[in-house]
Amino acid sequence: MYLSSGYPASVKGGTVIAADVGDREEHERRLASPDHYRTECRICGRPMHAHATRQRTLPDEPPLEIRRYRCPDCGGVVTVLPGYVARHLHQKTETVEEALSEAPEPPRRVAPRTRRRWRERARTAATVALQVLSALRSPALLAVVAQVGLDGTRGALLDAFRPLAGPRGPLATLTNLLNLALPGLRVM
Ligand SMILES: [Zn+2]
């Protein structure tokens, strides 16, 4: 959305988010050939080779196959995560957003304990994310940071970012943006 590249060259391997993959159907279409998710090495700039895939589990769904690629030069391995899967949370981004909302009827897809844990995390400060967004110097992002404040919470940041996010929703869009700006950085 704002950045097409921008990975620090020092980061070898890690996770690449395919932000434009909005659902499982599209993900499975891309699994048909290793070329569809193939990416370049952040260090060498060389096309990477398909590596062993990895399984990822989402509740109430058959396991997902996730593609990984290895650089023939430096040996870095990247995992390519479809944009609709929330990094680290083993859930779809839309399910996490639903669980964070103030709706009185919590979604049954998420255990109450899990929902509590996410909501607690949403109440913690998003300090690094806000600093990184601020450093990107985009007027739209600076307005979001000004609205939330540099000591604002993750939940407040997601809310303030919602108008910029488009149909994918703030969690997916912001997760991708932050991971491009600083690999490994996340909002939740
Ligand atoms: Zn490499």
Side-chain angles (χ1 to χ4, degrees):
M1 181 176 184
Y2 298 98
L3 295 170
S4 55
S5 61
Y7 287 104
S10 59
V11 177
K12 186 168 162 176
T15 300
V16 172
I17 299 173
D20 54 339
V21 178
D23 55 30
R24 183 168 185 131
E25 218 174 27
E26 173 63 18
H27 174 63
E28 285 179 349
R29 246 196 311 274
R30 293 207 193 185
L31 286 179
S33 156
D35 287 337
H36 296 154
Y37 271 129
R38 194 185 302 281
T39 179
E40 289 176 354
C41 178
R42 292 167 192 171
I43 298 175
C44 316
R46 296 254 321 243
M48 298 181 91
H49 293 178
H51 196 53
T53 58
R54 177 171 281 181
Q55 281 205 340
R56 184 92 184 222
T57 322
L58 296 183
D60 308 320
E61 280 191 28
L64 270 187
E65 203 181 335
I66 300 290
R67 283 224 183 263
R68 306 179 80 215
Y69 296 87
R70 187 173 181 283
C71 175
D73 283 354
C74 71
V77 174
V78 299
T79 301
V80 184
L81 199 63
Y84 75 99
V85 174
R87 246 193 119 178
H88 302 283
L89 301 182
H90 298 273
Q91 268 293 1
K92 293 182 189 179
T93 54
E94 63 179 35
T95 307
V96 179
E97 286 180 356
E98 250 174 62
L100 290 179
S101 76
E102 296 300 324
E105 193 66 30
R108 287 201 308 258
R109 284 181 280 180
V110 177
R113 202 179 39 168
T114 304
R115 187 178 194 230
R116 269 199 303 279
R117 196 177 64 237
W118 290 346
R119 295 180 77 151
E120 272 162 26
R121 186 158 170 84
R123 284 194 290 270
T124 61
T127 312
V128 178
L130 285 159
Q131 284 167 355
V132 166
L133 292 177
S134 170
L136 294 177
R137 302 252 153 242
S138 135
L141 293 176
L142 287 171
V144 167
V145 173
Q147 184 186 335
V148 176
L150 276 173
D151 55 354
T153 64
R154 298 172 199 277
L157 173 57
L158 285 169
D159 283 343
F161 191 77
R162 191 176 306 275
L164 299 183
R168 298 250 188 273
L171 179 57
T173 313
L174 202 45
T175 299
N176 181 53
L177 176 61
L178 290 174
N179 190 55
L180 286 171
L182 188 63
L185 177 62
R186 54 194 174 120
V187 65
M188 277 293 295

Short mmCIF file of all heavy atoms in Angstrom, two decimals, residues 6-8 11 87 128 132 177-186:
data_model
loop_
_atom_site.label_atom_id
_atom_site.label_comp_id
_atom_site.label_asym_id
_atom_site.label_seq_id
_atom_site.Cartn_x
_atom_site.Cartn_y
_atom_site.Cartn_z
N GLY A 6 11.71 -2.25 1.00
CA GLY A 6 12.11 -1.52 2.17
C GLY A 6 12.61 -2.42 3.27
O GLY A 6 12.77 -2.00 4.41
N TYR A 7 12.84 -3.70 2.94
CA TYR A 7 13.44 -4.57 3.94
C TYR A 7 14.88 -4.16 4.19
O TYR A 7 15.64 -4.01 3.24
CB TYR A 7 13.47 -6.01 3.44
CG TYR A 7 12.14 -6.68 3.43
CD1 TYR A 7 11.46 -6.86 2.25
CD2 TYR A 7 11.58 -7.13 4.61
CE1 TYR A 7 10.24 -7.48 2.22
CE2 TYR A 7 10.35 -7.76 4.59
CZ TYR A 7 9.68 -7.93 3.40
OH TYR A 7 8.48 -8.55 3.38
N PRO A 8 15.29 -4.02 5.43
CA PRO A 8 16.71 -3.82 5.68
C PRO A 8 17.48 -5.02 5.12
O PRO A 8 17.06 -6.16 5.27
CB PRO A 8 16.81 -3.81 7.21
CG PRO A 8 15.44 -3.52 7.70
CD PRO A 8 14.50 -4.05 6.65
N VAL A 11 18.50 -8.34 7.07
CA VAL A 11 17.61 -9.40 7.55
C VAL A 11 17.62 -10.57 6.59
O VAL A 11 17.23 -10.46 5.44
CB VAL A 11 16.17 -8.88 7.72
CG1 VAL A 11 15.25 -10.00 8.13
CG2 VAL A 11 16.16 -7.78 8.77
N ARG A 87 -0.48 -12.98 11.53
CA ARG A 87 0.84 -13.44 11.94
C ARG A 87 0.87 -13.79 13.41
O ARG A 87 0.40 -13.03 14.23
CB ARG A 87 1.82 -12.30 11.73
CG ARG A 87 2.82 -12.61 10.65
CD ARG A 87 3.93 -11.63 10.68
NE ARG A 87 5.16 -12.36 10.93
CZ ARG A 87 6.34 -11.79 10.99
NH1 ARG A 87 6.45 -10.50 10.85
NH2 ARG A 87 7.40 -12.52 11.19
N VAL A 128 6.67 0.87 19.53
CA VAL A 128 7.60 0.72 18.40
C VAL A 128 6.85 0.88 17.08
O VAL A 128 7.32 1.56 16.16
CB VAL A 128 8.33 -0.64 18.46
CG1 VAL A 128 9.25 -0.79 17.26
CG2 VAL A 128 9.12 -0.75 19.76
N VAL A 132 7.73 3.61 14.23
CA VAL A 132 8.07 3.22 12.86
C VAL A 132 7.12 3.90 11.87
O VAL A 132 7.55 4.44 10.84
CB VAL A 132 8.03 1.69 12.71
CG1 VAL A 132 8.03 1.26 11.25
CG2 VAL A 132 9.23 1.06 13.43
N LEU A 177 2.20 -3.68 6.39
CA LEU A 177 2.97 -2.43 6.33
C LEU A 177 4.13 -2.45 7.34
O LEU A 177 5.27 -2.11 7.01
CB LEU A 177 2.03 -1.25 6.62
CG LEU A 177 2.64 0.13 6.70
CD1 LEU A 177 3.30 0.51 5.38
CD2 LEU A 177 1.57 1.16 7.05
N LEU A 178 3.83 -2.86 8.57
CA LEU A 178 4.88 -2.88 9.60
C LEU A 178 5.95 -3.91 9.28
O LEU A 178 7.14 -3.67 9.50
CB LEU A 178 4.27 -3.17 10.97
CG LEU A 178 3.40 -2.04 11.55
CD1 LEU A 178 2.73 -2.49 12.83
CD2 LEU A 178 4.23 -0.79 11.81
N ASN A 179 5.53 -5.06 8.74
CA ASN A 179 6.53 -6.10 8.42
C ASN A 179 7.44 -5.68 7.27
O ASN A 179 8.59 -6.08 7.21
CB ASN A 179 5.82 -7.41 8.10
CG ASN A 179 6.79 -8.57 8.00
OD1 ASN A 179 7.55 -8.84 8.93
ND2 ASN A 179 6.80 -9.28 6.88
N LEU A 180 6.91 -4.85 6.37
CA LEU A 180 7.76 -4.31 5.31
C LEU A 180 8.74 -3.28 5.86
O LEU A 180 9.90 -3.21 5.46
CB LEU A 180 6.91 -3.65 4.22
CG LEU A 180 6.15 -4.59 3.28
CD1 LEU A 180 5.20 -3.79 2.41
CD2 LEU A 180 7.11 -5.39 2.42
N ALA A 181 8.25 -2.46 6.78
CA ALA A 181 9.10 -1.40 7.31
C ALA A 181 10.17 -1.95 8.24
O ALA A 181 11.31 -1.48 8.24
CB ALA A 181 8.23 -0.38 8.05
N LEU A 182 9.81 -2.94 9.01
CA LEU A 182 10.74 -3.52 9.98
C LEU A 182 10.35 -4.99 10.16
O LEU A 182 9.43 -5.29 10.90
CB LEU A 182 10.65 -2.77 11.31
CG LEU A 182 11.68 -3.11 12.38
CD1 LEU A 182 13.09 -2.77 11.91
CD2 LEU A 182 11.39 -2.35 13.67
N PRO A 183 11.04 -5.88 9.43
CA PRO A 183 10.65 -7.29 9.46
C PRO A 183 10.52 -7.82 10.89
O PRO A 183 11.39 -7.59 11.73
CB PRO A 183 11.78 -7.99 8.72
CG PRO A 183 12.27 -6.96 7.76
CD PRO A 183 12.16 -5.65 8.50
N GLY A 184 9.41 -8.51 11.13
CA GLY A 184 9.18 -9.07 12.45
C GLY A 184 8.32 -8.18 13.33
O GLY A 184 7.74 -8.65 14.30
N LEU A 185 8.24 -6.88 12.98
CA LEU A 185 7.41 -5.99 13.79
C LEU A 185 5.95 -6.24 13.49
O LEU A 185 5.55 -6.44 12.36
CB LEU A 185 7.76 -4.53 13.46
CG LEU A 185 6.94 -3.46 14.17
CD1 LEU A 185 7.12 -3.54 15.68
CD2 LEU A 185 7.29 -2.07 13.67
N ARG A 186 5.12 -6.27 14.52
CA ARG A 186 3.69 -6.53 14.31
C ARG A 186 2.87 -5.65 15.21
O ARG A 186 3.38 -5.08 16.16
CB ARG A 186 3.38 -8.02 14.56
CG ARG A 186 3.84 -8.48 15.92
CD ARG A 186 3.81 -10.00 15.97
NE ARG A 186 4.37 -10.49 17.21
CZ ARG A 186 3.71 -11.23 18.09
NH1 ARG A 186 2.45 -11.53 17.88
NH2 ARG A 186 4.31 -11.65 19.17
#
